[in-house]
Amino acid sequence: MAPHPRKLIRADMVSILKAAIPGDPVTYPTRAGQRVFDSADSPPHEDDPPSINVYMVGEDIDPEYRHQEGQRRRIMEVRVECYYSGGDGGEIVDEMAWQVENALRANPTINNKVEWCHLINTNVFFVESKKLALFAAVMTWQVIYYTHEYVDEGGRPTIVLLGFAPEIGPGHEPDYSEILNEPEVTP
């Protein structure tokens, strides 16, 4: 059975956040490097380096698209949690949240799987015990995507992701034209 489209979307968000950037040395979009997980079940530990968890909180079907046949517009809430334990933790999780925001803003259609992905809010938390000072930046993202059910040749229902890649946003600035010219005044 094929995975639900939201699992594919989360997996792509994780791959964007932990994609290696070639160079000497190899770098990553965030301070967490390869420690980005598609799960809420990867809690940080005292000796762990920075890490990021990505998971779904909930999903609504747009009321305009709730009919049984045809495409459905889904609005998913995704949490991205950045963790760090140690000195300067508040600054580090704030930096990690900024890195996550930049990485996902550079690919707002999540590899052309969604209509749009945008940040709703960020909260920063601090928890302290005798052994651990844990900092977390919890980001809430809204991901809007479409699915359409159809029956393949084998007769089983299949979900298709419908996306589109607009030619706007980061990376498309050279395509823009200036529209700030003063209008001509005619008497």
Side-chain angles (χ1 to χ4, degrees), residues 83-85 124-136:
Y83 292 109
Y84 182 77
S85 59
V124 178
F125 298 97
F126 170 70
V127 178
E128 185 176 24
S129 70
K130 290 180 182 179
K131 290 184 173 182
L132 179 68
L134 177 66
F135 295 85

Side-chain angles (χ1 to χ4, degrees), residues 8 16 24 29 58 67 76-77 96 105 113 115 123 138 141 154 161 170 178:
L8 301 174
I16 289 167
D24 188 24
H67 45 76
M76 178 171 54
E77 186 175 312
M96 289 171 63
R105 280 185 63 223
K113 283 192 172 66
E115 175 185 342
N123 293 295
V138 179
W141 291 81
L161 293 168
E178 190 170 319

Side-chain angles (χ1 to χ4, degrees), residues 3 48 51 98 105 108 110 126 145 178:
D48 279 348
S51 63
W98 183 241
R105 280 185 63 223
I110 312 297
F126 170 70
Y145 68 103
E178 190 170 319

Side-chain angles (χ1 to χ4, degrees), residues 12 26 34 45 65 87 90 92 99-100 111 121 133 155 172 174 183 185:
D12 271 14
V26 173
Q34 289 284 302
H45 297 286
Y65 293 85
I92 290 171
Q99 293 167 341
V100 166
N111 299 329
N121 65 31
H172 292 282
V185 179

Side-chain angles (χ1 to χ4, degrees), residues 5-6 8-9 112-114 145-148 159-163:
R6 63 180 160 247
L8 301 174
I9 293 166
N112 201 29
K113 283 192 172 66
V114 305
Y145 68 103
Y146 291 85
T147 58
H148 183 280
I159 299 288
V160 176
L161 293 168
L162 305 171

Side-chain angles (χ1 to χ4, degrees), residues 71-179:
Q71 68 181 350
R72 288 196 171 163
R73 185 173 190 253
R74 297 170 180 264
I75 303 163
M76 178 171 54
E77 186 175 312
V78 175
R79 290 272 162 75
V80 177
E81 297 178 347
C82 305
Y83 292 109
Y84 182 77
S85 59
D88 294 328
E91 293 296 320
I92 290 171
V93 296
D94 202 28
E95 172 191 320
M96 289 171 63
W98 183 241
Q99 293 167 341
V100 166
E101 185 175 347
N102 286 329
L104 293 178
R105 280 185 63 223
N107 193 339
T109 62
I110 312 297
N111 299 329
N112 201 29
K113 283 192 172 66
V114 305
E115 175 185 342
W116 206 249
C117 171
H118 63 273
L119 180 63
I120 301 295
N121 65 31
T122 303
N123 293 295
V124 178
F125 298 97
F126 170 70
V127 178
E128 185 176 24
S129 70
K130 290 180 182 179
K131 290 184 173 182
L132 179 68
L134 177 66
F135 295 85
V138 179
M139 307 173 79
T140 302
W141 291 81
Q142 185 178 66
V143 179
I144 301 168
Y145 68 103
Y146 291 85
T147 58
H148 183 280
E149 219 170 28
Y150 76 95
V151 178
D152 70 6
E153 293 176 10
R156 66 185 177 106
T158 307
I159 299 288
V160 176
L161 293 168
L162 305 171
F164 97 114
E167 294 181 356
I168 61 172
H172 292 282
E173 292 89 349
D175 301 333
Y176 295 171
S177 59
E178 190 170 319
I179 58 171

